[in-house]
Amino acid sequence: MIRVLVADDQTIVRAGFAALLDAQEDITVVGEAGDGRQAVALAERGRPDVVVMDIRMPGMDGIEATRRILAQPGSEGVRVLVLTTFDVDEYVYEALAVGASGFLLKDATADELVSAVRVVARGDSLLAPQVTGRLIREFTKQRRNRPQAPSELSTLTARENEVLVLIAGGLSNAEIAARLVVSEHTVKTHVARVFTKLGLRDRAQAVMLAYESGVVVPGENAS
């Protein structure tokens, strides 16, 4: 079962999300929070696999709540899926910068929300198509501000670097395996080594690092 915490300051919205998710056979809702502080406290007690997090909430917003939840001891397996009505560059980048694994607009369908929870629960990243272009432009600005690649990149083998580029291109493990003509198990091993060497939580952070460091250049084909 995927354990989910829902955080949203609108009671009806929060209850609707919780009911929808709890109705799934493979998902159970372990808590509902009306603001960021409550989300942090419930996450510490309930240890959810996924936190569905609203960005704009009173007191403590979803960005700061995400930062604190992922900084808690034992939070390595926690994934945060950010939901918002605000299709704004700064929120997209900030949410991912503090460790969110997914970003979805609130006008997504019920099926898209359920699918998104499952995607981030298994360690993959998810971005709403509406914001991907803006995110890449933000990566471009970040690269100009920090042109030096992190030294950890030099520890990657040629194949691991190739896998990082393909992750940044949005390919799944199965798609990477087909591209490189290797088994999916081999790809999983490479991905795990990339994450360990670079200190990454998940694919969302891998995408960010690849663009920020210039491993992948916006506008170029990641293949």
Side-chain angles (χ1 to χ4, degrees):
M1 295 291 287
I2 302 171
R3 295 166 54 81
V4 176
L5 168 64
V6 179
D8 195 298
D9 63 320
Q10 297 181 338
T11 303
I12 294 177
V13 173
R14 184 175 69 247
F17 287 159
L20 169 66
L21 294 170
D22 208 40
Q24 309 305 310
E25 293 184 356
D26 59 336
I27 297 174
T28 182
V29 174
V30 296
E32 297 181 38
D35 58 46
R37 293 188 186 281
Q38 189 177 14
V40 173
L42 290 177
E44 185 173 17
R45 293 201 300 268
R47 295 298 180 199
D49 300 306
V50 177
V51 180
V52 177
M53 180 77 74
D54 187 24
I55 283 186
R56 290 197 175 184
M57 294 185 290
M60 180 188 295
D61 65 20
I63 303 295
E64 180 60 25
T66 296
R67 188 196 313 274
R68 295 193 185 192
I69 288 171
L70 298 181
Q72 292 174 348
S75 67
E76 292 78 9
V78 180
R79 300 289 181 262
V80 176
L81 173 64
V82 172
L83 285 174
T84 183
T85 56
F86 300 95
D87 182 6
V88 181
D89 298 354
E90 62 183 284
Y91 294 121
V92 180
Y93 187 78
E94 286 182 26
L96 295 175
V98 298
S101 297
F103 189 101
L104 198 64
L105 300 182
K106 282 187 176 178
D107 61 3
T109 67
D111 286 344
E112 287 172 338
L113 173 58
V114 173
S115 176
V117 168
R118 291 171 177 151
V119 166
V120 299
R122 65 173 179 256
D124 290 336
S125 58
L126 183 141
L127 297 176
Q130 301 96 313
V131 301
T132 303
R134 293 179 177 84
L135 184 60
I136 297 308
R137 287 195 291 274
E138 183 65 26
F139 283 142
T140 304
K141 289 191 294 184
Q142 290 295 320
R143 186 188 172 197
R144 286 198 296 266
N145 294 336
R146 194 181 69 182
Q148 296 299 317
S151 59
E152 292 83 1
L153 281 172
S154 64
T155 67
L156 299 184
T157 65
R159 177 47 60 92
E160 289 166 355
N161 189 75
E162 191 173 9
V163 168
L164 175 60
V165 170
L166 294 174
I167 290 173
L171 276 66
S172 66
N173 285 352
E175 291 168 333
I176 294 174
R179 181 73 61 88
L180 300 180
V181 195
V182 297
S183 71
E184 192 169 346
H185 175 75
T186 297
V187 172
K188 289 180 179 178
T189 299
H190 286 315
V191 171
R193 287 174 178 166
V194 168
F195 286 5
T196 298
K197 288 182 178 181
L198 301 181
L200 304 172
R201 293 178 62 92
D202 55 28
R203 298 172 94 91
Q205 289 193 333
V207 171
M208 290 186 67
L209 184 144
Y211 278 99
E212 289 181 343
S213 63
V215 171
V216 175
V217 178
E220 293 186 359
N221 192 328
S223 63

